Amino acid sequence: GEKVEQHQSTLSVREGDSAVINCTYTDTASSYFPWYKQEAGKSLHFVIDIRSNVDRKQSQRLTVLLDKKAKRFSLHITATQPEDSAIYFCAASISGGNYKPTFGKGTSLVVHP
Amino acid sequence: ETAVFQTPNYHVTQVGNEVSFNCKQTLGHDTMYWYKQDSKKLLKIMFSYNNKQLIVNETVPRRFSPQSSDKAHLNLRIKSVEPEDSAVYLCASRTANSDYTFGSGTRLLVI
């Protein structure tokens, strides 16, 4: 089955700097890659996704890059703010059908004022 | 308000007891899920249910069972809890054209 590796367990940046969180996956059939954010003491919520028909997607300060050859995708956050501090989970899944994303272990992002 | 609602927020119980957690979604989604998030924040899918098909993760112990009255409700029952069941249980829903919406979670502590 699919394995998703999220290589950084923690990431610390200064407010205003950029943050990059990296993930890799193993199943070439995976074609949908969502990202979720979990703030302290709260549940997860969806932030951005990318499908395999594109290699880049941007939404305001968030950009997701996908390298299908390397089976790697990443979340880039520009101009970080303290409220970006959270655990970020990447996931990979096939599209449609029996949707069952495999999650990474999460990266705890801390943005220092 | 449209969202995924979970109750209770927090539950403490003793080993061997039975517990039930409720989940209701008012989003009109057609598929619901239960996830377990352990103390290391690792997320594992337990069940998915779309009112026609229940899919069980084969690693889920048999003491766990989902219960659904309609597509807006998916409850989770644990027949005889064990210490390793201590975790946060997250309910989620989605439709074919949307990603997950998660509930706020039920934190279970087994003592």
Side-chain angles (χ1 to χ4, degrees):
Chain A
E2 173 71 279
K3 285 188 174 59
V4 175
E5 295 284 347
Q6 205 164 339
H7 303 285
Q8 309 125 297
S9 56
T10 58
L11 178 61
S12 184
V13 300
R14 280 203 176 164
E15 184 177 356
D17 287 351
S18 293
V20 182
I21 302 172
N22 297 301
C23 289
T24 56
Y25 62 100
T26 57
D27 190 347
T28 52
S30 288
S31 57
Y32 177 66
F33 306 91
W35 287 86
Y36 301 87
K37 177 181 181 183
Q38 186 174 32
E39 293 167 72
K42 296 188 178 178
S43 190
L44 282 79
H45 69 266
F46 169 84
V47 289
I48 192 170
D49 61 11
I50 190 167
R51 295 184 188 276
S52 59
N53 58 340
V54 297
D55 54 19
R56 184 179 191 274
K57 182 174 179 179
Q58 182 173 357
S59 174
Q60 299 180 320
R61 295 187 296 109
L62 304 180
T63 301
V64 183
L65 301 179
L66 173 63
D67 180 344
K68 291 188 288 290
K69 211 178 243 186
K71 296 205 211 59
R72 185 170 55 217
F73 58 115
S74 55
L75 175 67
H76 298 245
I77 308 172
T78 57
T80 52
Q81 300 163 4
E83 50 265 38
D84 294 330
S85 296
I87 300 174
Y88 289 82
F89 292 89
C90 62
S93 177
I94 57 170
S95 291
N98 177 19
Y99 179 66
K100 197 174 84 172
T102 301
F103 285 84
K105 291 184 178 179
T107 296
S108 177
L109 174 65
V110 178
V111 180
H112 296 284
Chain B
E1 186 190 357
T2 54
V4 179
F5 301 97
Q6 286 187 244
T7 55
N9 294 325
Y10 190 67
H11 189 78
V12 182
T13 191
Q14 292 183 324
V15 170
N17 284 352
E18 176 175 318
V19 298
S20 269
F21 304 146
N22 299 315
C23 181
K24 171 187 169 182
Q25 56 96 1
T26 57
L27 296 157
H29 288 171
D30 49 31
T31 308
M32 296 183 72
Y33 304 80
W34 277 102
Y35 276 83
K36 179 181 179 182
Q37 186 173 39
D38 65 20
S39 58
K40 294 181 181 176
K41 302 294 184 184
L42 202 61
L43 282 157
K44 284 189 179 170
I45 190 167
M46 301 180 73
F47 305 100
S48 66
Y49 191 72
N50 71 354
N51 214 31
K52 294 176 188 175
Q53 188 180 20
L54 171 67
I55 299 171
V56 181
N57 185 332
E58 59 273 9
T59 65
V60 174
R62 291 191 174 206
R63 60 182 180 279
F64 290 85
S65 59
Q67 298 171 318
S68 177
S69 55
D70 54 55
K71 71 175 189 177
H73 296 84
L74 185 65
N75 300 332
L76 179 66
R77 185 178 78 153
I78 314 174
K79 220 186 262 189
S80 175
V81 295
E82 297 188 8
E84 61 263 30
D85 299 337
S86 295
V88 175
Y89 292 87
L90 293 166
C91 178
S93 71
R94 70 180 288 268
T95 191
N97 299 320
S98 75
D99 207 282
Y100 284 143
T101 299
F102 283 92
S104 57
T106 295
R107 185 177 295 275
L108 173 66
L109 179 60
V110 180
I111 56 174

